[in-house]
Amino acid sequence: MKTPSSTHQPQRLPMSATVAAVLLAFTSLGFSSTIELNQPFTPAGQNYSITALQNLTPLTLDGGTPVGAKTNVNYEFQGGFGVRYTNALDQLTDFGIGLYDSDYAPGIQAASTGLNIAFDHLVSSNGLSATLGDFDLNEFSTDFNTGRVAPTVSIYGNGGFLLGNFSAAQIIADNAMSLLASNDPITQTDLWKLDLGALVGPNVQVSGFTLAADLYNGGGSQMVVNSVPYFLVSVSGCECASVPEPGSAFLILSAGLGCLIITRRRTRGLFAAK
């Protein structure tokens, strides 16, 4: 693949002075430490809940359970939602969305943590996306780093019917990921937009989706276990769903706090054929 030209570099909209001041205030008050959230966790004013899962099979996302798992926030960066899971030694472990060894014997059974997003009512796939962070990638990347993590997602329709499991390879093939920021000034990490509509098609009714880690990257190379995880930052939808507008990101700073919205401009889809 060709290296993208300078005209394709990601751009950011300027942050408002009000939002910057509020974020600075929260940071100075020490809200950056890891927080365990209720299970399931419903963001203030939103029409969906987030449930942490562990023991997911990395390829089909079967076998996942919320037992022993909790949603956390701020583990790797401020505003990043991850998973606090119970390992094989019955120890709570703060983590994100990634691969881990779920058996006592290392290397015997690779499992994935995950986050399930369940909407209160059916929403359209048009404009439906999730903002994800911390893949350690940039505008020059052509595949997911095997030493970190690759995403996979299962998307559900009416009645929880499985619309499809989408691997890292399929996400790349469908040009479903685009770079929002290679080093976001708030999160201090790379942020990506995962376009769920690009995976299931337009005008599809969606009841929810599950984010997890793939056992392989887009090129078919096996990922490292334990992987360096990624995180959910926000969920965005069309006007038919009462979720933040496309490209926005909310930062949950404690279980009792609301949302702070930071708008980002969508850029080209990375990993696409140049």
Side-chain angles (χ1 to χ4, degrees), residues 1 137 141-144 172 175 177 192 269-274:
M1 295 184 182
L137 302 173
S141 302
T142 58
D143 200 350
F144 296 102
I172 292 175
N175 300 328
M177 277 187 67
W192 296 80
L270 209 60
F271 307 127
K274 306 298 191 297

Side-chain angles (χ1 to χ4, degrees), residues 140-227:
F140 303 110
S141 302
T142 58
D143 200 350
F144 296 102
N145 184 344
T146 56
R148 293 186 66 87
V149 73
T152 182
V153 60
S154 292
I155 306 176
Y156 309 100
N158 192 9
F161 176 78
L162 179 64
L163 297 173
N165 295 319
F166 301 93
S167 66
Q170 289 171 298
I171 289 171
I172 292 175
D174 289 339
N175 300 328
M177 277 187 67
S178 57
L179 182 65
L180 296 174
S182 58
N183 187 22
D184 183 79
I186 301 300
T187 63
Q188 300 297 304
T189 190
D190 53 317
L191 294 181
W192 296 80
K193 183 175 183 177
L194 177 61
D195 186 350
L196 303 181
L199 296 173
V200 298
N203 303 315
V204 175
Q205 296 298 295
V206 175
S207 61
F209 58 94
T210 296
L211 296 165
D214 201 333
L215 196 59
Y216 300 93
N217 70 357
S221 298
Q222 191 161 340
M223 307 297 288
V224 169
V225 181
N226 296 341
S227 64

Side-chain angles (χ1 to χ4, degrees), residues 87-142:
N87 65 19
L89 300 176
D90 202 30
Q91 299 168 331
L92 284 173
T93 304
D94 274 316
F95 200 49
I97 304 171
L99 299 172
Y100 68 101
D101 193 330
S102 65
D103 204 305
Y104 285 101
I108 296 299
Q109 182 183 0
S112 175
T113 53
L115 292 177
N116 174 256
I117 310 302
F119 294 104
D120 294 344
H121 58 267
L122 291 173
V123 300
S124 173
S125 62
N126 299 336
L128 184 60
S129 68
T131 298
L132 312 176
D134 205 15
F135 292 98
D136 197 25
L137 302 173
N138 57 36
E139 62 269 25
F140 303 110
S141 302
T142 58

Side-chain angles (χ1 to χ4, degrees), residues 2 4 10 19 40-41 73 93 101 103 173 189 220 232 256:
K2 297 180 180 178
V19 170
F41 173 70
V73 68
T93 304
D101 193 330
D103 204 305
T189 190
L232 170 68

